[in-house]
Amino acid sequence: MPEFITSFFDQLKGLWAKWTLVQRVVLVGIVVAAIVAVVSLVSVSSSPGFVPVIDTPIANADELARIVTRINAEGVRANVSSLGIVSVADEETARRMRTILIREDLIPNGADPWAIFDVERWTITDWERNINLRRAVTAMVSEHIKSLSDVDDVNVVIVQPERTLFASEQDPVTASVVLIPKPGSDIAGNRKKIEGIQKLLMFAVPGLKAENITINDQNGLILNDFEGMKDFDKLERVKKEIAIVRETESKYRADVLRALQAQFSTDRVRDLNIKIDMDMSKREVQSSQYKPIMIKERTPGLAYDDSQRVASLTVSESTATTTWKGTGFNPEGPAGVEGQTPPAYKDMSNLYGEVSQQTRVHNEVFNEEKIEEERSPSIDRISVSVNIDGVWQQKKDDAGAPVLLADGRTEREYIPIAAADLSKATLLVQAAVGYNAARGDTVSVQNIQIDRSAQFAAEDAEFLRQKNLRTTVIAALIGASLLIIGFILFQLVSRSREQARRRREEELARQHQLMREQALLDADREGAEVSMSVEEQSRAELQSKAMSMAREHPEDVSHLLRTWLMEE
């Protein structure tokens, strides 16, 4: 260890020994506070910051909500400051979000396009400043386009001509972009994404117009030739129109089926065809309506309507009357001068006449209301045809069993739908589809018998199977019953025979016992010695012991006898 470090620690130890307890506590507190401050500074400096997506504060709450919702839809967490500035985690994510917002026209009107790209350069001369600005814009636009998930690489060339004195001689600003899509990307055929890149260029470069932007792929194919895509757009529009018609037909079909199947069951209402002719062209309709003029409003709270209305109001009125009476004299001018009166009127000269003429001019004002509306799309005609099947019923005999034909099939009867029910069903369908006779709509509800041969064959097969199964079960039950009855009878007979055999054996044993007892009694009376074999003596002893045990323990003896009988 170096000498100065050793001397420093020795001095520190000397000072520590001289200090009081309060000084030591103050020193320890200062050291701990310094450590905490350093740790806090390091943690704050190492925490991730936020990069603003748009530097301009967004004051409109609706625009701010749409921008935040779109950013969250990409799985990116957006931070909104108190001033309304939207920020994300890093610069790469910010560039990607800017591209998406520009592509979908979500940039607020008050936002500065240059603030989005955040291009700042320090230069000395105007020429160097313009060159650096152009290079910065090109680099930032390239980075923005590269940040798209569909682009692997991009090459951007922006040409800004020198400004001229006259606008007619000014060359336009042009831009050329070569895209290299990622494998599997659909950006080459996705018009919306190409338009997003085109809008990005127009935002970044002042004076750049859409017609002066060329976007190619690596094979030289022009991607932003939207004029050449008119036929494709027309085809797409036709597909969307057909999809709208199909969706409308499906909705009407579901409504009609739900209404009919609730009344006639699902199995009877099967065939339903709906054809809708729709006009997809846009039309502007202008019409005028004449309404009565309100003179007096209705009095609030009055039980009847006391308002006053008139068809029109008189604005001005004039009357002119002309009356002439005379002899019909027609002057011909001074004497000696030929007059100018036509020959037809010369015959009427010096005749008496009277003329009376009246003219009246009356100007009225009406309450005219002009309506301008745009209609698209609209339904021109609806055609509906539906078939409802009748009811099939099985014929049954007096006992309630189905009547069978010669081939084993069940006899059925078809009951058609009444004409009144068909009329009601027609009205129901007309109400469901919004029937309009003036539009030429047609609704046809018919009762046509549906072929149910396969269904009836399956039902007859199931009925026959159930019948055979029922017969088999009944026969099995009868056989099982007879078997059980025979087994019971056999058991009764066997038990009765066993009881008779046991009674005979007991009777024989009892008679033998009586004979032995009688012989012993006779021998005792005569005082004679009776020679007994060893077996008889053992038997006699066992009998005496059994008799004594039976007298002492009758229950045990009964259990023993019962056990012997069961074993035998």
Side-chain angles (χ1 to χ4, degrees):
M1 182 178 296
E3 184 178 356
F4 71 92
I5 296 178
T6 305
S7 62
F8 173 75
F9 279 107
D10 292 340
Q11 292 177 3
L12 186 61
K13 289 179 182 179
L15 292 174
W16 181 265
K18 293 178 182 179
W19 286 349
T20 61
L21 180 60
V22 177
Q23 291 176 336
R24 293 175 180 178
V25 171
V26 172
L27 179 61
V28 172
I30 292 173
V31 173
V32 171
I35 294 173
V36 171
V38 172
V39 172
S40 301
L41 182 60
V42 171
S43 61
V44 170
S45 61
S46 62
S47 61
F50 287 94
V51 178
V53 178
I54 302 174
D55 289 345
T56 305
I58 303 174
N60 193 325
D62 295 336
E63 294 179 353
L64 182 61
R66 286 196 296 269
I67 291 173
V68 174
T69 302
R70 186 62 184 89
I71 293 175
N72 293 335
E74 295 294 326
V76 178
R77 179 177 174 270
N79 182 32
V80 182
S81 65
S82 60
L83 300 177
I85 297 177
V86 182
S87 304
V88 292
D90 50 31
E91 181 64 29
E92 182 180 357
T93 306
R95 288 197 299 268
R96 185 164 61 90
M97 292 300 105
R98 290 173 196 148
T99 305
I100 293 175
L101 295 180
I102 292 174
R103 182 182 68 194
E104 299 187 5
D105 292 332
L106 294 179
I107 299 297
N109 294 329
D112 185 8
W114 290 100
I116 295 176
F117 293 93
D118 196 14
V119 178
E120 295 182 0
R121 291 293 184 273
W122 294 93
T123 58
I124 299 175
T125 63
D126 292 341
W127 182 79
E128 290 177 345
R129 184 180 293 109
N130 292 333
I131 293 298
N132 291 336
L133 178 61
R134 187 186 307 171
R135 292 175 60 189
V137 170
T138 303
M140 294 300 289
V141 169
S142 300
E143 290 183 6
H144 275 283
I145 297 176
K146 286 181 182 178
S147 65
L148 297 177
S149 59
D150 296 313
V151 178
D152 192 12
D153 196 4
V154 66
N155 185 11
V156 179
V157 177
I158 299 175
V159 178
Q160 292 180 329
E162 296 293 336
R163 297 185 62 182
T164 59
L165 181 60
F166 300 101
S168 59
E169 299 177 358
Q170 180 68 44
D171 294 331
V173 181
T174 60
S176 175
V177 180
V178 177
L179 292 178
I180 300 178
K182 288 184 178 179
S185 174
D186 63 339
I187 190 171
N190 194 323
R191 178 173 180 174
K192 189 174 183 180
K193 295 180 180 180
I194 299 299
E195 287 180 346
I197 296 176
Q198 185 169 288
K199 290 179 182 178
L200 182 65
L201 291 167
M202 294 169 64
F203 266 105
V205 182
L208 182 60
K209 298 182 180 180
E211 58 267 18
N212 297 325
I213 300 175
T214 303
I215 303 176
N216 298 354
D217 61 0
Q218 71 274 22
N219 299 321
L221 180 64
I222 299 178
L223 303 180
N224 64 333
D225 184 14
F226 302 131
E227 292 295 330
M229 299 176 64
K230 288 184 177 179
D231 295 337
F232 178 77
D233 294 340
K234 183 178 180 180
L235 180 60
E236 291 294 326
R237 186 172 62 254
V238 170
K239 289 182 180 179
K240 292 180 180 179
E241 293 175 356
I242 293 175
I244 293 174
V245 174
R246 294 293 178 265
E247 182 180 358
T248 307
E249 291 177 351
S250 299
K251 179 181 179 300
Y252 279 115
R253 185 179 293 106
D255 294 340
V256 174
L257 282 177
R258 184 165 54 252
L260 292 178
Q261 290 178 354
Q263 302 296 328
F264 299 99
S265 77
T266 305
D267 186 57
R268 293 173 59 190
V269 183
R270 297 182 181 181
D271 303 329
L272 174 61
N273 298 315
I274 295 181
K275 181 66 173 66
I276 298 179
D277 297 331
M278 299 186 68
D279 184 8
M280 296 295 178
S281 60
K282 293 184 178 180
R283 293 181 298 171
E284 294 184 358
V285 180
Q286 297 181 356
S287 59
S288 299
Q289 293 183 357
Y290 295 92
K291 297 181 179 179
I293 299 176
M294 180 68 68
I295 301 298
K296 178 181 178 299
E297 297 286 345
R298 178 177 179 176
T299 304
L302 197 62
Y304 61 91
D305 187 4
D306 62 341
S307 61
Q308 296 180 5
R309 297 180 176 87
V310 295
S312 62
L313 293 177
T314 302
V315 177
S316 62
E317 183 177 1
S318 63
T319 304
T321 303
T322 302
T323 303
W324 173 80
K325 294 182 179 180
T327 62
F329 176 76
N330 190 0
E332 296 184 358
V337 179
E338 183 70 21
Q340 302 297 325
T341 303
Y345 290 96
K346 286 185 178 181
D347 297 336
M348 299 175 61
S349 62
N350 300 323
L351 295 179
Y352 176 80
E354 182 177 352
V355 176
S356 178
Q357 180 181 359
Q358 291 184 355
T359 303
R360 183 183 179 186
V361 179
H362 191 75
N363 296 322
E364 299 282 342
V365 63
F366 298 90
N367 187 6
E368 181 180 3
E369 180 180 355
K370 294 184 178 181
I371 301 175
E372 296 182 2
E373 58 182 347
E374 182 176 327
R375 297 180 180 179
S376 175
S378 61
I379 298 178
D380 289 343
R381 186 171 180 269
I382 298 178
S383 301
V384 183
S385 64
V386 60
N387 177 36
I388 305 176
D389 192 13
V391 179
W392 287 91
Q393 290 185 352
Q394 293 182 347
K395 290 186 177 181
K396 297 184 178 180
D397 54 13
D398 297 337
V403 178
L404 300 179
L405 299 175
D407 55 358
R409 293 184 295 108
T410 304
E411 186 176 359
R412 295 174 174 83
E413 180 183 3
Y414 182 76
I415 302 176
I417 301 177
D421 293 339
L422 284 178
S423 300
K424 294 179 181 179
T426 303
L427 295 176
L428 186 65
V429 175
Q430 291 177 353
V433 300
Y435 175 79
N436 187 358
R439 194 171 53 191
D441 296 348
T442 58
V443 175
S444 175
V445 180
Q446 300 294 331
N447 175 209
I448 302 176
Q449 181 177 342
I450 298 176
D451 184 14
R452 299 179 180 267
S453 302
Q455 177 184 348
F456 292 160
E459 292 177 356
D460 294 340
E462 180 65 19
F463 174 74
L464 183 59
R465 189 184 68 83
Q466 292 289 342
K467 181 178 178 181
N468 295 335
L469 179 61
R470 187 166 52 252
T471 304
T472 304
V473 170
I474 293 174
L477 291 176
I478 294 173
S481 301
L482 294 176
L483 184 62
I484 292 172
I485 293 172
F487 178 75
I488 293 173
L489 293 176
F490 176 75
Q491 289 291 333
L492 293 176
V493 172
S494 299
R495 187 173 297 178
S496 61
R497 293 182 62 184
E498 183 67 21
Q499 290 178 356
R501 185 182 65 80
R502 289 179 179 177
R503 285 196 295 270
R504 288 195 302 270
E505 290 179 354
E506 291 175 357
E507 183 65 24
L508 291 176
R510 188 180 65 79
Q511 292 177 2
H512 291 165
Q513 182 64 23
L514 290 175
M515 291 175 63
R516 292 190 185 91
E517 291 177 356
Q518 187 65 33
L520 293 175
L521 183 60
D522 293 341
D524 290 339
R525 289 177 179 177
E526 293 177 357
E529 295 182 359
V530 180
S531 61
M532 300 177 63
S533 62
V534 178
E535 295 179 356
E536 291 178 349
Q537 293 178 359
S538 301
R539 187 179 183 86
E541 292 177 357
L542 290 174
Q543 286 180 355
S544 61
K545 291 180 180 180
M547 293 176 64
S548 62
M549 185 178 293
R551 287 192 296 269
E552 296 176 357
H553 305 283
E555 294 180 358
D556 295 339
V557 173
S558 63
H559 286 304
L560 180 61
L561 293 175
R562 190 179 296 109
T563 304
W564 285 350
L565 292 174
M566 291 177 64
E567 290 179 355
E568 293 179 358

